[in-house]
Amino acid sequence: MTKIAFILLCHRDPDRIIAQAERLTAAGDCMAIHFDARASDQEYAKIRAALKDKPAVTFARQRVRCGWGEWSLVQATLNAIEAALESFPDATHFYLLSGDCMVIKTAEYAHDFLGRVDADYIESCDFFTSGWIKTGLKEDRLNYRHYLNERKHKRLFYWALKMQRWLRLKRKIPEDLQVQIGSQWWCLRRRTIEEILQFLRERPDVLRFFRTTWIPDETFFQTLVRHLIPTDQIQSRSLTFLLFTDYGMPVTFYNDHFDLLLGQDYLFARKISPDATELKARLGQLYTAKGVTFPISNEGRQLFEFLTGRGRVGRRFAPRFWETETSLGRERELMIVTSKKWHVAKGVVERMRQVTGLPAVDYLFNEEKTPLPDLGGLEITLEKRTRHRRALVRMLFDYYQTDKLIICMDTANLDLMQDFYADQATTRVLEIQCELSEAYLVGHARRIGLAGDNTPPDVLERLLPTIRQDVSFESDRIRDAGFTGFHRLRERASVAENSVSLAAFLGVSEDQAHQIAATPNLFAD
């Protein structure tokens, strides 16, 4: 039977800690608390007094003064773990939490989830090859000794690092360890915890090494679990839902995030705003509830990245033009059909093929499954196609033995359009403007991972206007780019009006253009 021993690291707000301990132990689980030694003794005494009669709560035998990025955070965790092992011999799982975490599932759900698979849940990626670290020190976290806190003593911290480099004091990583990195927040089985502590008793050299690494809470347990536990018993993920901004700061959740949090495939979430009183009250009643079902949509991360990324797409991280020196050929004509409704664009392009006989390729830069001829491996992945876009299209001209080629692109691909316009070839763009129903926008949100089948209606209601605005924004960017030979095929326009646009875009007769424009259900979903 699953029983969770929560390892709680906290440093403030005694009332919140007391309430958290009472909630999480009410369903039969237990808790070991480490309260930062930097906090006042009066606050600690208040917590001890409030929880003294609860046998399901224990405290770390020794409090540590904790600092971000320091070994002290790992030591505090180890102290609380030892107290939990001694006090709760029937605990099967140990779950590391902070005072800013709150449960987003019931105890029933959590116990069933952990009992279903015999595994440890800890994010652990290769330190050197995974790219997990986005900014700041990387190898130097391990290669040199760090005795100072970078946030408190920035100048001394980097001076000490510089001196170690100058004196060539680079140290060796213990040879049998493959250092891993990942989220600090984990859930480990009892036998895993016991193996870690036994390993540390036998290997003081490993303990010495990690004591002077920088930010060891992201590498210590992650490395030891991979070292001691078979890979098939490790789930490389955290069960605590957390998001970070572009600047490395944790995202804070507020009252209107209740349904979104419950729909994520996690057991806890951090950080909950201290001012989110309604959210805290609703989540506080959740753990002991019975018979609650949780439809998992799991769109939270993609949704956050989408909403915060508007205004930065195509600007801040625009791809570099590796192939600007490659020309398609001055005598060639490239015709780009762009639409957010891919199936409509594909239907229009197929009709263009039938009427004009011009070769055409569907969304070659957006869909990996787009049929392409063998082009020497350049066509295999979207990444290769995009990086070598001019070479790819030039080879398609050669393959079809033509000087005229139609291709499809998403309206988000403005950077690709601009690159082709910079070529010596003649380039024209036809934008297909379709009416966007709510049903289409919902389907689009699901296709790109912003929503799932179980996303609550109120979340979709808030999301749809943003998606609609985003599609309009992409259309405006194309129009404002000032492309010569830019044309529009509009769902609301007459057949005659669309015929004029098609004739100019394709360079064909009005009769041929009319055949295309008059196609029944040309804009049908």
Side-chain angles (χ1 to χ4, degrees):
M1 182 176 177
T2 302
K3 181 173 182 177
I4 306 170
F6 294 105
I7 307 300
L8 183 65
L9 302 185
C10 47
H11 64 281
R12 61 181 178 182
D13 199 347
D15 292 331
R16 184 195 298 189
I17 302 309
I18 294 166
Q20 194 173 23
E22 291 175 340
R23 284 194 300 264
L24 295 180
T25 58
D29 293 313
C30 47
M31 177 178 289
I33 298 174
H34 178 278
F35 194 67
D36 195 335
R38 295 181 187 275
S40 72
D41 292 337
Q42 291 80 6
E43 289 181 324
Y44 183 54
K46 181 178 181 179
I47 298 172
R48 293 292 299 251
L51 300 174
K52 66 179 181 179
D53 296 326
K54 292 193 174 295
V57 177
T58 190
F59 293 84
R61 302 292 180 263
Q62 183 177 358
R63 294 167 64 199
V64 178
R65 295 173 63 86
C66 297
W68 184 88
E70 297 178 5
W71 169 257
S72 54
L73 286 173
V74 178
Q75 188 62 62
T77 305
L78 290 171
N79 291 354
I81 286 173
E82 289 173 349
L85 278 172
E86 180 182 337
S87 300
F88 312 121
D90 55 346
T92 60
H93 293 75
F94 292 70
Y95 196 124
L96 183 61
L97 291 174
S98 78
D100 293 323
C101 296
M102 286 202 74
V103 68
I104 56 174
K105 297 291 186 294
T106 61
E108 281 183 341
Y109 184 100
H111 293 163
D112 177 69
F113 182 95
L114 293 176
R116 212 179 305 151
V117 180
D118 187 22
D120 297 305
Y121 292 85
I122 181 167
E123 184 181 27
S124 52
C125 312
D126 187 272
F127 184 92
F128 297 99
T129 63
S130 66
W132 197 88
I133 299 173
K134 302 300 182 185
T135 59
L137 298 180
K138 188 173 180 179
E139 288 85 353
D140 287 348
R141 291 191 187 190
L142 310 176
N143 291 338
Y144 300 98
R145 296 168 177 83
H146 302 280
Y147 299 99
L148 300 167
N149 188 297
E150 189 263 354
R151 289 189 172 182
K152 291 184 177 180
H153 309 288
K154 186 177 289 289
R155 290 180 63 184
L156 285 174
F157 179 91
Y158 287 104
W159 177 85
L161 177 59
K162 182 179 179 181
M163 291 301 296
Q164 289 183 76
R165 290 171 178 163
W166 184 68
L167 294 170
R168 299 182 180 179
L169 297 178
K170 182 177 178 179
R171 62 176 176 172
K172 289 184 178 180
I173 298 171
E175 291 184 359
D176 57 333
L177 292 186
Q178 184 178 357
V179 179
Q180 304 287 307
I181 191 166
S183 169
Q184 174 187 1
W185 311 106
W186 42 253
C187 179
L188 303 177
R189 297 166 297 173
R190 185 183 193 93
R191 64 176 176 271
T192 300
I193 291 290
E194 290 172 342
E195 285 194 43
I196 289 173
L197 296 182
Q198 179 61 32
F199 177 80
L200 294 177
R201 286 190 287 268
E202 297 170 356
R203 293 289 302 274
D205 61 311
V206 172
L207 204 56
R208 285 195 301 271
F209 172 78
F210 278 105
R211 281 183 183 277
T212 52
T213 59
W214 180 233
I215 320 183
D217 53 295
E218 294 178 352
T219 56
F220 179 76
F221 289 100
Q222 295 78 358
T223 300
L224 296 191
V225 171
R226 281 284 175 190
H227 183 72
L228 297 169
I229 304 301
T231 300
D232 61 359
Q233 296 180 31
I234 301 172
Q235 298 285 324
S236 184
R237 57 163 295 193
S238 172
L239 295 180
T240 299
F241 180 60
L242 67 162
L243 298 171
F244 287 93
T245 68
D246 286 352
Y247 305 100
M249 299 301 292
V251 172
T252 301
F253 298 109
Y254 295 92
N255 289 332
D256 57 353
H257 288 131
F258 179 78
D259 289 326
L260 181 143
L261 291 177
L262 264 59
Q264 306 314 304
D265 188 21
Y266 296 84
L267 304 184
F268 283 78
R270 73 182 305 267
K271 292 184 167 183
I272 307 298
S273 169
D275 300 320
T277 53
E278 180 185 341
L279 177 61
K280 289 190 291 185
R282 296 177 74 183
L283 292 179
Q285 299 168 5
L286 185 63
Y287 198 60
T288 55
K290 302 290 185 181
V292 181
T293 58
F294 296 92
I296 303 299
S297 57
N298 218 31
E299 79 285 0
R301 195 171 305 280
Q302 295 94 325
L303 181 59
F304 174 77
E305 292 172 356
F306 171 79
L307 293 176
T308 57
R310 298 308 90 195
R312 296 197 294 269
V313 176
R315 293 179 174 89
R316 190 168 167 192
F317 301 113
R320 293 172 286 183
F321 295 150
W322 293 101
E323 295 298 316
T324 53
E325 75 284 357
T326 303
S327 175
L328 303 182
R330 189 182 298 275
E331 72 285 356
R332 286 171 167 167
E333 296 179 28
L334 179 65
M335 290 164 277
I336 301 172
V337 176
T338 183
S339 176
K340 185 56 74 175
K341 283 191 173 182
W342 292 6
H343 60 288
V344 172
K346 290 176 183 179
V348 171
V349 167
E350 178 58 31
R351 188 65 177 137
M352 290 177 178
R353 285 192 195 99
Q354 296 170 357
V355 173
T356 68
L358 292 172
V361 182
D362 292 339
Y363 284 83
L364 71 168
F365 297 111
N366 304 103
E367 285 189 303
E368 197 142 352
K369 65 181 180 180
T370 298
L372 289 172
D374 184 354
L375 301 175
L378 197 60
E379 79 287 354
I380 293 175
T381 66
L382 288 176
E383 191 271 336
K384 277 191 174 182
R385 296 178 201 172
T386 304
R387 188 193 313 158
H388 304 292
R389 43 188 168 269
R390 291 196 189 183
L392 176 73
V393 173
R394 188 182 72 248
M395 293 172 75
L396 288 171
F397 274 109
D398 294 339
Y399 175 82
Y400 289 112
Q401 297 182 343
T402 183
D403 289 333
K404 292 186 176 183
L405 179 67
I406 304 168
I407 63 174
C408 292
M409 284 188 194
D410 191 89
T411 52
N413 295 138
L414 177 63
D415 56 328
L416 299 185
M417 299 177 203
Q418 290 172 323
D419 189 38
F420 284 118
Y421 260 92
D423 190 80
Q424 295 176 346
T426 299
T427 303
R428 294 191 291 273
V429 170
L430 176 72
E431 182 190 6
I432 303 177
Q433 286 194 326
C434 305
E435 298 301 305
L436 303 178
S437 65
E438 284 199 2
Y440 167 79
L441 293 175
V442 170
H444 178 64
R446 288 174 176 156
R447 283 190 295 274
I448 63 177
L450 295 178
D453 293 338
N454 298 313
T455 299
D458 60 325
V459 174
L460 286 173
E461 186 178 347
R462 292 195 297 270
L463 179 61
L464 294 188
T466 306
I467 297 177
R468 187 182 297 277
Q469 183 182 19
D470 194 60
V471 174
S472 298
F473 172 69
E474 291 175 358
S475 177
D476 290 342
R477 290 173 71 208
I478 295 172
R479 184 177 65 244
D480 296 342
F483 294 140
T484 57
F486 173 70
H487 306 278
R488 279 183 175 161
L489 193 68
R490 295 185 296 118
E491 186 172 356
R492 289 188 176 184
S494 65
V495 170
E497 290 172 319
N498 283 336
S499 296
V500 172
S501 296
L502 285 167
F505 172 71
L506 293 169
V508 298
S509 67
E510 290 187 11
D511 180 60
Q512 286 180 302
H514 185 272
Q515 290 183 55
I516 300 169
T519 302
N521 302 316
L522 190 63
F523 297 92
D525 285 339

